[in-house]
Amino acid sequence: MQVDRNPQAVQMADESMVRTLRHQIEAIWPQESALYARYALPAGARILDVGCGTGEATVRLADRFPGAAAVVGVDLMPELLNVARRDHGARAPRVTFEQGDGFALRFADGDFDLVVCRHVTQLLPEPEKLLAELQRVLRPGGWLHVVSEDYGMLHFPRRDGVDPDLLWHRAVVPFTDSQHTDARIGRRTLPILRALGFEHVNIRYLTLDTDSVPRASLAGIFSAWRDGYVDGLAAASDLEPRAVRAMFDAIIATVNDPAAYGVWQLPVVA
């Protein structure tokens, strides 16, 4: 059986994905950026951002490592790359964006000192093959940085009779199962990297909660997910679209309520 390597192409091409990526970087980067201090890169280092999307993290990597000679963003989706080039094209030639397949990168073995892959592993089947390809283009002694989502790590309270925890178990997991992808890949990524032979492997968790992240950024993420995914999630589950939407709306209402609390824990494996 042939497996679709890009099963969420429809959602990735939707305008809501541009909003998702913008709000995610606003919410995540203040915590995530500190983790890059662990990577002592040589002068003139080369950095690869696989699944770069609209380039929000790519340009921040270039700023985080001013001594890097080249920062290359690769993505399969032309719709997202068009936004990256429009918004960040002035960064060329040091920062460049190109279309490419993370399972078959055009680069030579050991071409990069740091390879970054954010919010991708949950989208694709056979993530082990993707991670092995990232290992191939990483120089010996280099660093791999993977933000690997896990939809069992979002926790929001019941609201107005709606339990949003059911969203992830009754809709998201069946949706990803139907695509041969893993909604809970975050908890499997550390063992995968060890099995590939990586050394000094560790996992850290970003705590994206209503106390530490601007509520507008968190609400923007869940609003964009709702707008892009309701129909697909309902079609793959036993829930009606209105029920899926109600669960997203309950999360968004919690985030927007100054008296309420919710949290998203995001694994980063390096």
Side-chain angles (χ1 to χ4, degrees):
M1 179 182 66
Q2 186 173 7
V3 176
D4 184 359
R5 285 280 178 82
N6 189 23
Q8 294 187 32
V10 171
Q11 289 81 15
M12 292 297 105
D14 191 81
E15 63 79 24
S16 62
M17 185 52 56
V18 176
R19 288 187 281 128
T20 294
L21 297 175
R22 183 179 72 248
H23 290 301
Q24 279 184 341
I25 201 72
E26 292 169 353
I28 294 168
W29 192 256
Q31 293 183 44
E32 184 188 354
S33 61
L35 298 181
Y36 290 97
R38 301 174 296 173
Y39 315 141
L41 303 187
R46 287 172 53 80
I47 299 172
L48 178 65
D49 182 12
V50 176
C52 67
T54 55
E56 299 284 0
T58 317
V59 295
R60 286 168 172 79
L61 285 166
D63 293 339
R64 181 67 183 77
F65 295 102
V71 183
V72 182
V74 174
D75 203 281
L76 195 60
M77 300 299 298
E79 296 85 354
L80 300 178
L81 287 170
N82 288 340
V83 176
R85 290 168 178 147
R86 180 197 70 198
D87 292 350
H88 309 300
R91 298 288 197 110
R94 181 169 175 261
V95 179
T96 56
F97 299 96
E98 62 181 70
Q99 188 171 15
D101 182 351
F103 288 95
L105 296 165
R106 68 168 183 84
F107 307 106
D109 295 0
D111 207 5
F112 292 92
D113 300 279
L114 170 64
V115 176
V116 175
C117 185
R118 306 172 70 259
H119 309 287
V120 176
T121 52
Q122 81 281 358
L123 299 173
L124 306 175
E126 302 177 310
E128 297 88 347
K129 292 183 178 180
L130 170 71
L131 294 170
E133 177 67 354
L134 303 186
Q135 180 184 36
R136 182 188 67 79
V137 301
L138 184 66
R139 72 166 175 82
W143 283 94
L144 175 65
H145 177 105
V146 184
V147 178
S148 195
E149 295 185 20
D150 189 315
Y151 293 99
M153 298 184 184
L154 294 103
H155 310 284
F156 289 82
R158 286 178 177 268
R159 192 175 187 97
D160 300 324
V162 176
D163 184 356
D165 283 356
L166 298 178
L167 172 65
W168 318 111
H169 299 287
R170 288 182 59 184
V172 173
V173 169
F175 175 70
T176 56
D177 284 350
S178 72
Q179 300 175 337
H180 306 284
T181 60
D182 186 355
R184 292 169 287 203
I185 183 62
R187 67 193 69 181
R188 291 204 300 120
T189 304
L190 183 73
I192 290 172
L193 293 187
R194 285 182 172 150
L196 286 171
F198 279 94
E199 298 178 351
H200 307 296
V201 184
N202 65 78
I203 187 167
R204 298 289 183 269
Y205 287 88
L206 308 182
T207 300
L208 308 174
D209 68 359
T210 49
D211 268 13
S212 62
V213 174
R215 289 179 183 260
S217 298
L218 275 181
I221 294 170
F222 293 115
S223 296
W225 284 1
R226 176 196 62 196
D227 296 345
Y229 279 92
V230 162
D231 290 339
L233 293 177
S237 73
D238 60 354
L239 299 171
E240 295 292 329
R242 65 176 179 274
V244 176
R245 179 174 292 274
M247 292 177 191
F248 275 116
D249 287 343
I251 294 171
I252 295 164
T254 289
V255 172
N256 286 326
D257 180 354
Y261 179 83
V263 60
W264 175 20
Q265 293 175 301
L266 188 58
V268 181
V269 188

